[in-house]
Amino acid sequence: MGRSKLSQLWASVLINAIYSMENYPITLVNTFMAPLSILIIITLVSHGTLLSVGLSGALIMTMVTSGIGLQADLSHLKNDFKVQDMVVSSPTSAFMYMLGMAVSEVIFSLPAIIILTILAVLFIKVTIIGAIVIFAVMALMFSFSIALGFFLSTYSTDIVQNYAFMGILSIFLTTIPPVYYPITYIPLPYRYIAYLSPTTYAAEIIQSAIGYLQLSTLTLAVDWAVVIAVAAVLLTLSIKKSRWRES
Amino acid sequence: MKPGLVCKNLTKRYKNGPMALDNINISIPSKGIFALIGRNGAGKTTLTRILATELLPSSGTATINGIDVVNEAGRLREQIAILPQESRAVQWLTPRQSITSYLLYCGLSLREADSRVLPTLELLGIKKNENTLNRMLSGGVKRKVLIATVLASGSKVLFVDEPTTGLDPISRSELWTVLNKLKKDRFIFLTTHYLEEAERLADMIGIIDEGKLVALGTLNELRKIVKYGYSVRILQKGVSVRPRHGKLIVGENGFKQIITTEDEADRLAKRFIRDGTRFSMNPISLEDIFYYLVKKPIETGEVEEDEGGW
């Protein structure tokens, strides 16, 4: 990657993360409030028995909401400030813009990721392989949500609509599905509905890696296949079908 | 001078929509200011966005300095910068941060980007606002921040879509001075609603109406398109007038304007002086040409054409 490509990536990081955090420090607090608050409630209600599951859920939520947040940020920059129009006419490609924005979301979520990782190290007993599995699932969830966020943002025309959409996505991907609690808590006929969300498969893999769920090899294979496929499809879609240069 | 912007039969039709651009043909030099004027929805922004590689045309071709806007967009993007219509300074950034980040998108190093900030802010007279959050700045200064952002890129080709909207007359005049300096070694594609702005700045002017380019040329060339060289404005209502030659335009406010020949303007002037009618008489301005070509006043009004006397 040449210096100019790095500059283009860094531009998004500056606009969407560094400058924003520098000028409005309160935004830092906001990033970890949502996952931490649900973690606290789950831990209190379960008398601590779901702490490890809740922690893994909080990590998934942080990664997924980063991507969904990207949708709102990109839409804001595109529709309200016309930044995307200026970038389209610059040497920066759609891919570099998306990559830069994705990195900016990671940086923006760093406070939450650091706090949750410290708590995870303290309270979750996990093997090296388990840790690698958790990291891989988080990366896939982040890729999936970033791609989804970018794809949707290029079609958005109104930030108000976008914020509403972001809230709905967040609820259906992280709050309602068994991300903060095990899927076994859902009565069987309704369990299949939970499988409509890709985050359910991701949570199953992580809950298995931390020893909370015992899953068959076939179930784990299916979980991995779904998580990888969803991330791959959305990444492809976001690269091929996003509306960058309009026709 | 070799042609800088060349459009051949450039056409844009939006899906299920009207013809936004209809066979646009342009060939203009590679330096100086080209002002595109037209009513709202005439096609100015569509043409700007196609040339700035943001939008694909339906048919036809366009090249800037020999580079095709469709097939060589990547190469062209290294030479252009655009200030889009209705763009706003990002409110959580400072002017320094706004310029720096845009220059990084242009592929400059952070050091190079940093070094360009102050001279550009100084050029626009907003150096003291360097580190103030954009949201704290006045509307005019915010506009200048955006202009500074594209100017700092040093691009050979600048697209500025209504750049002076929201600027006070002094700021507007300051920006005109800057654009006049810049045009010496680059091509500036300017769209504007301010006809005076186009008249003062542009080396070439295009008038677009309902997607069609109805006139293209220097101001003097446009004056020749209109067969009448003088404009007489009657500055009071209720005056009956039937010019022997020319065009009588009645604005919505009831005031009348006659675009006519020098002799007829002279004859009308003598009559108005004799009757004590308040009036003004000038060689036709771009505004007069615009009204004449676009057929109706900018504000809805009636148009009458008359060849008779009174």
Side-chain angles (χ1 to χ4, degrees):
Chain A
M1 195 182 290
R3 190 179 68 171
S4 65
K5 297 274 183 220
L6 279 174
S7 292
Q8 291 161 3
L9 188 146
W10 189 236
S12 295
V13 174
L14 286 176
I15 282 192
N16 205 41
I18 308 285
Y19 291 153
S20 174
M21 293 190 291
E22 193 180 311
N23 298 335
Y24 295 150
I26 188 72
T27 53
L28 284 170
V29 179
N30 183 47
T31 59
F32 59 78
M33 283 304 286
L36 270 185
S37 56
I38 300 179
L39 173 65
I40 290 165
I41 291 167
I42 290 285
T43 307
L44 289 175
V45 169
S46 70
H47 301 289
T49 56
L50 287 179
L51 174 62
S52 59
V53 175
L55 266 170
S56 64
L59 279 165
I60 291 174
M61 186 185 201
T62 303
M63 300 317 281
V64 173
T65 50
S66 292
I68 298 170
L70 176 75
Q71 180 213 352
D73 291 343
L74 285 175
S75 174
H76 196 29
L77 289 168
K78 174 184 170 227
N79 298 317
D80 298 337
F81 302 108
K82 306 287 175 195
V83 168
Q84 189 172 306
D85 283 354
M86 294 173 78
V87 177
V88 170
S89 295
S90 79
T92 299
S93 64
F95 177 73
M96 284 311 295
Y97 186 59
M98 185 178 90
L99 190 63
M101 284 294 171
V103 174
S104 79
E105 294 294 337
V106 174
I107 289 173
F108 210 82
S109 300
L110 270 182
I113 294 170
I114 290 168
I115 290 171
L116 291 170
T117 305
I118 291 169
L119 290 173
V121 169
L122 290 174
F123 295 107
I124 300 177
K125 288 188 178 68
V126 67
T127 60
I128 299 283
I129 290 172
I132 293 168
V133 165
I134 292 170
F135 179 79
V137 172
M138 309 287 271
L140 284 167
M141 279 294 94
F142 183 64
S143 307
F144 144 75
S145 63
I146 285 287
L148 180 67
F150 183 72
F151 178 71
L152 293 175
S153 75
T154 59
Y155 283 88
S156 78
T157 53
D158 187 346
I159 188 66
V160 176
Q161 202 178 28
N162 248 82
Y163 278 126
F165 205 51
M166 187 180 125
I168 293 166
L169 271 179
S170 178
I171 287 167
F172 280 106
L173 288 174
T174 60
T175 313
I176 295 177
V179 169
Y180 277 90
Y181 59 93
I183 194 164
T184 49
Y185 280 32
I186 304 175
L188 195 58
Y190 303 107
R191 216 174 275 179
Y192 298 107
I193 299 171
Y195 283 113
L196 291 174
S197 169
T199 48
T200 301
Y201 302 89
E204 272 193 350
I205 297 170
I206 293 182
Q207 287 167 18
S208 161
I210 61 176
Y212 197 89
L213 278 183
Q214 299 300 318
L215 298 175
S216 67
T217 312
L218 179 66
T219 307
L220 262 180
V222 169
D223 286 345
W224 275 108
V226 170
V227 169
I228 291 168
V230 168
V233 166
L234 275 164
L235 276 171
T236 309
L237 202 63
S238 71
I239 291 166
K240 301 273 183 199
K241 296 287 179 188
S242 295
R243 194 191 287 173
W244 184 246
R245 187 183 198 183
E246 293 173 33
S247 58
Chain B
M1 197 180 288
K2 64 175 183 179
L5 169 62
V6 179
C7 300
K8 287 181 186 164
N9 302 318
L10 197 67
T11 299
K12 178 68 188 179
R13 184 190 281 278
Y14 290 105
K15 267 181 197 165
N16 306 320
M19 188 79 90
L21 292 180
D22 190 357
N23 277 303
I24 300 288
N25 287 289
I26 297 176
S27 179
I28 49 179
S30 57
K31 286 194 175 60
I33 295 179
F34 171 67
L36 185 65
I37 56 176
R39 306 178 74 191
N40 288 329
K44 298 187 299 293
T45 296
T46 299
L47 180 56
T48 308
R49 297 189 73 215
I50 287 174
L51 297 176
T53 74
E54 285 177 22
L55 183 67
L56 289 166
S58 305
S59 62
T61 60
T63 58
I64 296 173
N65 294 335
I67 303 170
D68 191 289
V69 301
V70 175
N71 300 319
E72 298 174 283
R75 222 178 111 208
L76 185 59
R77 286 170 181 159
E78 289 171 7
Q79 299 188 15
I80 63 173
I82 183 171
L83 175 62
Q85 188 186 33
E86 294 175 3
S87 51
R88 289 167 51 208
V90 178
Q91 58 199 20
W92 63 86
L93 305 183
T94 64
R96 168 171 280 283
Q97 293 168 343
S98 303
I99 296 172
T100 304
S101 46
Y102 179 68
L103 295 183
L104 293 178
Y105 279 126
C106 292
L108 271 66
S109 67
L110 192 56
R111 182 181 293 180
E112 174 65 18
D114 257 349
S115 72
R116 291 193 188 184
V117 173
L118 276 183
T120 315
L121 291 175
E122 200 164 12
L123 184 71
L124 285 153
I126 51 170
K127 190 178 162 189
K128 65 177 180 188
N129 303 108
E130 179 191 354
N131 293 314
T132 310
L133 281 178
N134 289 333
R135 70 179 173 85
M136 311 288 281
L137 303 172
S138 68
V141 176
K142 281 181 192 165
R143 200 77 199 144
K144 285 185 178 179
V145 170
L146 286 168
I147 293 160
T149 304
V150 290
L151 289 187
S153 69
S155 300
K156 288 181 190 168
V157 179
L158 295 178
F159 293 91
V160 280
D161 201 349
E162 299 177 15
T164 55
T165 304
L167 291 184
D168 62 67
I170 294 170
S171 299
R172 186 174 298 161
S173 173
E174 285 169 0
L175 181 67
W176 289 351
T177 308
V178 172
L179 291 174
N180 259 324
K181 272 186 208 163
L182 291 171
K183 75 177 187 180
K184 285 171 190 155
D185 57 358
R186 71 192 76 198
F187 175 64
I188 300 173
F189 187 102
L190 167 82
T191 67
T192 181
H193 281 303
Y194 301 114
L195 301 177
E196 184 199 355
E197 184 166 285
E199 196 164 354
R200 287 218 195 168
L201 291 176
D203 301 286
M204 294 285 283
I205 297 166
I207 299 178
I208 192 167
D209 187 40
E210 294 177 347
K212 290 188 171 72
L213 193 70
V214 294
L216 176 70
T218 62
L219 186 56
N220 281 334
E221 285 167 347
L222 293 187
R223 282 193 175 118
K224 285 174 193 161
I225 294 172
V226 180
K227 56 184 175 180
Y228 307 110
Y230 275 79
S231 161
V232 180
R233 287 173 194 267
I234 302 171
L235 305 175
Q236 61 190 68
K237 289 182 185 174
V239 177
S240 174
V241 59
R242 288 174 66 81
R244 288 175 185 167
H245 307 287
K247 186 178 239 185
L248 173 66
I249 299 170
V250 184
E252 198 176 46
N253 52 15
F255 288 103
K256 291 175 181 168
Q257 180 187 8
I258 303 118
I259 295 172
T260 188
T261 60
E262 187 174 0
D263 287 347
E264 177 64 1
D266 199 40
R267 191 184 70 78
L268 289 172
K270 283 176 184 159
R271 180 227 158 170
F272 292 146
I273 291 167
R274 194 174 60 237
D275 297 349
T277 304
R278 284 186 292 118
F279 74 101
S280 69
M281 187 174 99
N282 302 95
I284 56 165
S285 63
L286 182 59
E287 187 177 343
D288 301 322
I289 298 167
F290 182 78
Y291 275 49
Y292 181 86
L293 290 171
V294 175
K295 303 292 183 196
K296 11 183 204 292
I298 297 171
E299 294 176 355
T300 54
E302 293 171 26
V303 179
E304 297 170 16
E305 187 141 22
D306 207 306
E307 296 282 330
W310 71 72

